[in-house]
Amino acid sequence: MSDATPPSKATPAVAFCFLLNQLLDRERWPRERLARFAGQVLELRLPLLAPLHVCVAPDGRIVPGGAEPSAVITLSGIGGSGPLAEELRYLARDLRPDVEEALSRVVGDIAAQRIGDAARSLARWQRDAVLRAGEALADYVIDERKMLVRRSEFAPLAADIARLASALADLEQRIARLD
């Protein structure tokens, strides 16, 4: 019989831990910083998945499981106000995966650089396409369908309404004095 522990089941939490630990294993300093928070739990909230709980291990790596989270990680950022949340914000800001370096081990330096350039170009194109689509939709809704009003067109209307409200209040006071 073997004393080895059975491998973890392939769950989203296990996959997240594997990917994050790959990043943490590249250098020692992030694991040393996280080791101070051994036993604390993080909750990962991703769209279409149930919340995942992961725990900081004594060696600074991340393992699946845990109960009450000390910090919450979403696509929009890291929630929480404790020391662990602050440390996670620091790591998110300063710890970046070097995808091209990992890819260069498989396909070579030049190909990895070109793949990275293509990926960045695609990301810029997608961001530009979303911005242009949003601008086109806004123009359509404002100019073609007349469903919305531009801020510059709304200001004179708001001033007219304010003057009308003031005149109406004056008129109501005169009527009240007549009674």
Side-chain angles (χ1 to χ4, degrees), residues 17-35:
C17 290
F18 174 79
L19 293 173
L20 186 57
N21 285 328
Q22 292 293 313
L23 180 61
L24 292 172
D25 287 343
R26 280 193 6 222
E27 299 180 52
R28 180 179 300 167
W29 68 268
R31 288 190 317 276
E32 289 173 351
R33 291 183 69 108
L34 280 176

Side-chain angles (χ1 to χ4, degrees), residues 88-171:
L88 291 174
R89 286 186 194 96
Y90 173 82
L91 290 173
R93 189 176 53 248
D94 294 333
L95 183 65
R96 296 282 178 220
D98 190 353
V99 177
E100 286 180 24
E101 175 65 30
L103 191 58
S104 71
R105 293 184 205 132
V106 177
V107 297
D109 291 342
I110 295 172
Q113 177 68 38
R114 290 189 178 160
I115 291 169
D117 291 344
R120 283 185 290 278
S121 177
L122 178 64
R124 280 191 304 275
W125 173 81
Q126 287 178 334
R127 191 171 35 252
D128 185 53
V130 167
L131 288 173
R132 288 177 188 261
E135 290 170 358
L137 179 62
D139 286 343
Y140 173 76
V141 169
I142 291 170
D143 296 330
E144 300 293 328
R145 296 288 290 173
K146 304 286 187 204
M147 294 170 70
L148 297 175
V149 178
R150 293 190 191 278
R151 213 176 275 255
S152 60
E153 297 170 353
F154 184 71
L157 177 63
D160 289 344
I161 292 172
R163 281 193 298 276
L164 182 60
S166 176
L168 183 59
D170 289 344
L171 182 60

